[in-house]
């Protein structure tokens, strides 16, 4: 049985941990509001730009002069998984769920005879993927605080990815991130980043009007396609920022409640041990008195 001193030390230790987790929950809650607003503000623009680019691409006849982000490399043998996570932990299953989706997609592609490479954005994603795919990681980025990233930051990543694509390092790129739904729900999501996914007749919305483009579609796409890559990367970081804080808030709330339950159990154990010690001392005193 643990001594009274050991129990008291442990109770104080758990109380200190509870104070930390409670403070972290409050910080996450404050950051979550800003991150959620940013994610919700960027989501319609990113989704609409993706739809517009896809719709315009469906009207273009791909030829030798077409942008590579539209025409592709002509094959789809090498797939790049751009796995966006965070640099920090203590966020529940946020990072693990994204990496799990990346592993699942990688295994599906390998089963189909494809070559898979990884481009990680976030230290946690790199660390987890390095255990099984170390040699397949071609580049890694540590973005820092996801909530502080701006368009200029992700634009540099987009330019790097575009340069690698045009150099023929891979044929298809997929972006994996966590879409924020609610504080309790974040959905690991994968979208095709390069080349642009061309809309089919069934997915192009009917606008009931004839649209003419000036300049022509290919010139518009030449400008929009690189921008779309950066915008989708920005969308992923904004969604991840909100998902990270939501998951962290939930994890710290659970940790705080678990610490409270442990403190209650330890306090009961401490009181019982203390009572047993007092009873033993009384018995010894009475026995001593009777012996006299």
């Amino acid at each position: 049985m643990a001594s009274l001193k050991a129990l008291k030390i442990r109770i104080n230790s758990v109380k200190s941990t509870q104070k930390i987790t409670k403070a972290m929950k409050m910080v996450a809650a404050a950051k979550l509001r800003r991150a959620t607003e940013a994610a919700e503000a960027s989501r319609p623009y990113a989704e609409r730009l993706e739809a517009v680019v896809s719709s315009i691409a469906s009207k273009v006849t791909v030829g030798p002069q077409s942008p590579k982000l539209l025409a592709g490399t002509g094959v789809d043998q090498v797939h790049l998984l751009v796995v966006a996570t965070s640099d920090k932990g203590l966020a529940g299953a946020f990072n693990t769920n994204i990496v799990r989706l990346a592993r699942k997609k990688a295994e599906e592609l390998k089963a189909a005879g494809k070559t898979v490479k990884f481009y990680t954005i976030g230290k946690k994603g790199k660390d987890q993927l390095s255990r099984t795919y170390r040699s397949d990681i071609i580049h890694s980025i540590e973005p820092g605080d996801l909530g502080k990233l701006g368009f200029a930051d992700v634009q540099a990543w987009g330019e790097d990815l575009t340069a690698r694509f045009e150099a023929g390092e891979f044929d298809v790129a997929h972006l994996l991130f966590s879409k924020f739904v609610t504080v309790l729900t974040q959905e690991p999501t994968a979208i095709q980043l390069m080349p642009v996914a061309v809309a089919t007749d069934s997915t192009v919305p009917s606008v009931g009007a004839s649209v003419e483009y000036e300049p022509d579609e290919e010139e518009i796409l030449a400008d929009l396609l690189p921008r779309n890559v950066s915008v989708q990367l920005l969308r992923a970081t904004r969604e991840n920022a909100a998902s990270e804080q939501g998951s962290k808030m939930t994890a710290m709330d659970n940790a705080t409640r678990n610490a409270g339950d442990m403190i209650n159990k330890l306090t009961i154990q401490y009181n019982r041990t203390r009572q047993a010690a007092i009873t033993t001392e009384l018995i010894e005193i009475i026995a001593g008195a009777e012996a006299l």
Side-chain angles (χ1 to χ4, degrees):
M1 182 179 292
S3 66
L4 289 174
K5 183 178 180 181
L7 286 170
K8 195 167 186 178
I9 291 173
R10 192 175 179 191
I11 290 171
N12 290 335
S13 176
V14 176
K15 284 182 177 179
S16 297
T17 302
Q18 187 184 43
K19 290 178 182 178
I20 294 171
T21 57
K22 190 174 182 179
M24 292 180 69
K25 174 191 171 183
M26 294 174 65
V27 171
K31 289 185 176 181
L32 175 64
R33 181 180 57 81
R34 296 192 296 269
T36 303
E37 290 174 354
E40 291 177 347
S42 64
R43 189 181 300 162
Y45 178 77
E47 292 177 348
R48 187 59 181 167
L49 178 60
E50 184 180 29
V52 167
V53 169
S54 180
S55 177
I56 297 175
S58 68
K59 298 176 174 61
V60 175
T61 302
V62 177
Q65 303 302 319
S66 299
K68 200 166 186 179
L69 286 173
L70 169 63
T73 60
V75 293
D76 67 341
Q77 179 58 35
V78 182
H79 288 248
L80 180 70
L81 302 185
V82 183
V83 184
T85 57
S86 66
D87 285 346
K88 299 179 181 179
L90 297 178
F94 162 67
N95 292 305
T96 303
N97 287 338
I98 299 173
V99 173
R100 185 182 293 117
L101 177 62
R103 285 177 173 156
K104 180 181 178 182
K105 192 165 188 65
E107 292 305 316
E108 290 175 352
L109 289 169
K110 287 187 175 183
K114 309 298 182 181
T115 301
V116 179
K117 298 180 179 180
F118 293 91
Y119 188 107
T120 62
I121 301 173
K123 186 174 183 296
K124 289 299 177 180
K126 177 190 174 185
D127 291 344
Q128 293 186 40
L129 289 170
S130 293
R131 298 169 190 168
T132 50
Y133 301 106
R134 182 180 297 273
S135 60
D136 297 324
I137 299 176
I138 64 172
H139 188 67
S140 59
I141 297 171
E142 294 185 10
D145 189 343
L146 296 177
K148 295 182 179 179
L149 293 173
F151 185 75
D153 300 301
V154 299
Q155 189 173 30
W157 308 343
E159 291 172 353
D160 179 46
L161 283 166
T162 301
R164 291 173 183 271
F165 179 66
E166 293 181 345
E169 290 190 26
F170 55 90
D171 303 316
V172 183
H174 308 271
L175 177 60
L176 293 88
F177 59 96
S178 182
K179 183 178 180 180
F180 179 81
V181 181
T182 66
V183 175
L184 298 175
T185 307
Q186 300 88 36
E187 295 179 354
T189 304
I191 61 174
Q192 182 170 315
L193 190 63
M194 301 177 185
V196 62
V198 179
T200 61
D201 292 339
S202 60
T203 59
V204 176
S206 176
V207 296
S210 176
V211 180
E212 294 184 1
Y213 296 96
E214 179 65 33
D216 62 29
E217 290 92 336
E218 287 201 5
E219 289 187 51
I220 294 174
L221 286 174
D223 180 67
L224 286 184
L225 287 172
R227 180 180 294 273
N228 181 58
V229 173
S230 299
V231 167
Q232 299 309 321
L233 288 170
L234 180 63
R235 169 194 179 186
T237 59
R238 293 278 172 85
E239 295 281 358
N240 274 356
S243 296
E244 180 189 20
Q245 298 306 326
S247 185
K248 182 173 290 187
M249 181 179 169
T250 302
M252 291 302 102
D253 180 58
N254 291 335
T256 301
R257 286 189 285 106
N258 290 340
D261 293 341
M262 183 175 290
I263 289 170
N264 292 335
K265 291 179 181 178
L266 289 172
T267 301
I268 292 172
Q269 185 179 353
Y270 175 84
N271 291 336
R272 287 176 177 173
T273 303
R274 182 170 176 270
Q275 187 62 48
I278 292 171
T279 302
T280 301
E281 289 178 2
L282 288 173
I283 292 172
E284 291 175 352
I285 292 171
I286 293 171
E290 289 180 351
L292 293 174

